[in-house]
Amino acid sequence: MDTRKVDVAIIGAGTAGLNARREVEKQGGRPLMIEGGAYGTTCARVGCMPSKLLIAAAEAAHVITGAAQFGLPATARIDGAAVMARVQRERDRFVGFVVAGTEAIPPDQRLLGRARFTGPTTLEVDDHTRVEARAVVVATGSAPFLPPPFDTVAEHVLTSDTVFELPDLPESLAVIGTGVIALELGQAMHRLGVRVAFFSPFDAVGPLTDPEVAQVARRDLATELDLRLGTAMLAATPAASGLTLRWREADGTERDEIFTHVLVAAGRRPNIAGLGLEATGLTLDQAGLPVIDPQTAQCGDGPIFFAGDVAGHIPLLHEASDEGRIAGANAVAWPGVQRATRRVPLAIAFTDPQMAMIGLHYDQLPAGAHAIGQVSFENQGRARVMGRNQGLLRVYANARDCTLLGAEMFGPAAEHMAHLLAWSVQQRMTVPQALSMPFYHPVLEEGLRTALRDLAAKLRVLGQCRPEDMGDAPGS
């Protein structure tokens, strides 16, 4: 067995692992990145990019079928095989770029094989290499979770790791879950002509914590989608034409139905199986994970660091990038660990309307020390012009100093307004300062101004806003 001595061993070559390796190298250390599967990040292979490709096709179909409201009746003929072929072709192109970039890393910094801890900073990679490191970064990502009864019929169900391999659009699809992945993929399939039903034991739709915004999202999505909430899944049985599902509804009634395909999107779990974390000496919880400091990525006070989805903090690509850099910098500098200032949290769901959560969520607001401003998009000028007048935005501010704290939103173009709000929160902008920014007319962002005006009134700081910022415009 070969022996490799390095400064930092990095387990995983995804987004977090790649950024950790780069940071170690930048700091003058000797990194070794170990990957047990194929190169290519979760985002490129089975996450952000293929899902947005499918959503883009669904949006195109929806624009055609929705043109009737403008006096332009039209129908879309959907070629399912062509849709999936483009998804796969463009997905493979994105993956190719990532793989090429990874393979351009010096060979002495890369190692293929499955790593297992044999001590706090020693690893065995398959049966061919022993790695001795000063510090270790764990960046192994996550995998779809299959709850009962689907764990016993795993070969008959789809997950977000396999759905993009379909050669054609399914005839019917049961989506298990109503979280972000479930809603994004299920709504896209529905708009591409697939008969889709969503099942969840909960009443929640999406990740929103603000009860007002969540209620609007649940109500508006239910007008388009078949949401079967409060259902308990009892059985999943293979049938000649797919899977027979049996469930219990909220009123106790039991029903069954056959779907040609079932997509289980009930969350993801950290990839820690086979890592041998028990050999590290770390204290592990019931799930087999250590306590991880999000400001340092460190586990306890030792030389082991977690980054990306496996850390479980905020499983998003930009957060994985940040955590990889933090973990890499602290691993190579250990024991001289530095606390990092994390960027303002920003999460977006690419449903239609979109969902966004910025900064402090509603359920994180300081009790009695905040104010909320809001705007409905049902009558917002530009939203009505576009025929996209659905949704609600709620903006939060500190009641003592008027600084913006965060927001939750369900509405048109939320991805863009979410960025404006995230930048404002990170700059610790006050409500009057935000209102002093330029707002064009007519744009959707005028809805944000309306919410800020409402917030200014509740904070009693209207007098601090310039008179022109309080001007009226048609449909603003």
Side-chain angles (χ1 to χ4, degrees):
M1 181 176 287
D2 292 338
T3 298
R4 298 280 303 274
K5 295 186 177 183
V6 298
D7 291 319
V8 181
I10 301 155
I11 309 174
T15 298
L18 288 166
N19 280 278
R21 185 213 66 83
R22 184 182 296 111
E23 192 65 28
V24 172
E25 183 183 51
K26 188 166 70 176
Q27 300 295 335
R30 296 170 300 156
L32 178 63
M33 188 172 64
I34 307 163
E35 174 56 59
Y39 290 144
T41 63
T42 295
C43 171
R45 285 192 178 277
V46 296
C48 322
M49 303 318 293
S51 66
K52 302 313 168 284
L53 285 162
L54 187 69
I55 290 168
E59 287 176 344
H62 190 64
V63 166
I64 294 171
T65 57
Q69 66 178 311
F70 302 105
L72 304 168
T75 57
R77 188 184 69 82
I78 298 169
D79 184 337
V83 168
M84 295 308 299
R86 181 178 185 269
V87 169
Q88 293 156 9
R89 182 174 64 251
E90 292 297 313
R91 181 271 316 271
D92 292 346
R93 181 173 175 270
F94 288 121
V95 171
F97 292 144
V98 177
V99 171
T102 306
E103 291 179 341
I105 293 169
D108 65 341
Q109 295 186 17
R110 295 184 282 120
L111 183 64
L112 290 174
R114 295 194 176 277
R116 176 176 60 86
F117 281 96
T118 57
T121 58
T122 57
L123 305 166
E124 281 189 5
V125 182
D126 289 342
D127 56 357
H128 54 70
T129 306
R130 173 182 169 85
V131 178
E132 299 175 0
R134 288 187 62 254
V136 179
V137 174
V138 178
T140 49
S142 62
F145 170 61
L146 292 182
F150 302 102
D151 53 342
T152 60
V153 290
E155 69 276 16
H156 296 286
V157 301
L158 299 167
T159 69
S160 56
D161 281 2
T162 59
V163 66
F164 302 111
E165 301 306 322
L166 288 172
D168 202 342
L169 293 172
E171 178 183 328
S172 59
L173 181 70
V175 179
I176 309 304
T178 52
V180 173
I181 295 173
L183 290 173
E184 286 186 350
L185 298 182
Q187 185 182 48
M189 288 288 187
H190 164 75
R191 291 185 169 186
L192 288 166
V194 179
R195 179 174 67 85
V196 178
F198 295 81
F199 294 86
S200 174
F202 312 109
D203 290 330
V205 174
L208 300 164
T209 72
D210 189 312
E212 300 291 333
V213 183
Q215 181 182 16
V216 171
R218 186 166 55 247
R219 180 198 68 196
D220 289 357
L221 287 174
T223 64
E224 176 187 358
L225 305 176
D226 181 359
L227 300 176
R228 306 182 186 184
L229 306 177
T231 56
M233 195 58 60
L234 303 176
T237 308
S241 56
L243 273 178
T244 300
L245 301 185
R246 190 172 84 255
W247 68 92
R248 182 185 300 113
E249 298 191 343
D251 63 2
T253 305
E254 291 190 11
R255 300 188 184 281
D256 61 77
E257 189 173 346
I258 296 177
F259 294 88
T260 62
H261 294 76
V262 174
L263 170 64
V264 180
R268 297 176 68 90
R269 296 292 185 272
N271 286 329
I272 56 172
L275 269 180
L277 288 176
E278 62 277 0
T280 63
L282 295 170
T283 300
L284 306 177
D285 62 18
Q286 290 184 340
L289 287 164
V291 175
I292 306 152
D293 186 336
Q295 264 64 55
T296 64
Q298 187 179 23
C299 305
D301 58 1
I304 300 176
F305 302 81
F306 273 56
D309 286 7
V310 71
H313 293 135
I314 306 177
L316 299 170
L317 181 137
H318 65 281
E319 297 286 354
S321 297
D322 287 350
E323 289 181 1
R325 287 192 293 269
I326 294 167
N330 280 331
V332 74
W334 186 83
V337 172
Q338 299 292 320
R339 297 182 70 78
T341 300
R342 299 297 295 265
R343 286 187 267 198
V344 163
L346 170 62
I348 299 168
F350 291 85
T351 53
D352 184 23
Q354 294 176 342
M355 302 180 192
M357 303 171 75
I358 306 100
L360 291 184
H361 304 162
Y362 177 87
D363 62 357
Q364 299 169 332
L365 293 173
H370 67 271
I372 302 176
Q374 69 180 48
V375 62
S376 169
F377 283 90
E378 292 182 12
N379 290 308
Q380 199 274 332
R382 183 64 186 277
R384 289 196 68 86
V385 166
M386 299 164 64
R388 300 179 63 191
N389 50 312
Q390 289 179 297
L392 179 69
L393 165 64
R394 301 242 288 173
V395 184
Y396 317 130
N398 188 307
R400 296 188 177 94
D401 61 13
C402 300
T403 55
L404 292 169
L405 297 175
E408 294 195 28
M409 177 181 181
F410 172 73
E415 61 182 291
H416 304 299
M417 262 179 276
H419 278 84
L420 297 179
L421 281 162
W423 298 345
S424 300
V425 172
Q426 186 151 316
Q427 292 292 323
R428 294 191 54 79
M429 191 175 287
T430 66
V431 174
Q433 287 172 333
L435 277 169
S436 74
M437 295 295 106
F439 288 86
Y440 200 75
H441 174 75
V443 293
L444 292 169
E445 283 74 14
E446 287 180 295
L448 170 57
R449 183 177 61 184
T450 300
L452 290 170
R453 288 173 174 172
D454 184 37
L455 190 49
K458 290 172 179 172
L459 290 167
R460 300 183 181 180
V461 292
L462 288 179
Q464 299 180 32
C465 307
R466 298 185 317 198
E468 60 267 31
D469 299 324
M470 305 309 297
D472 291 320
S476 63

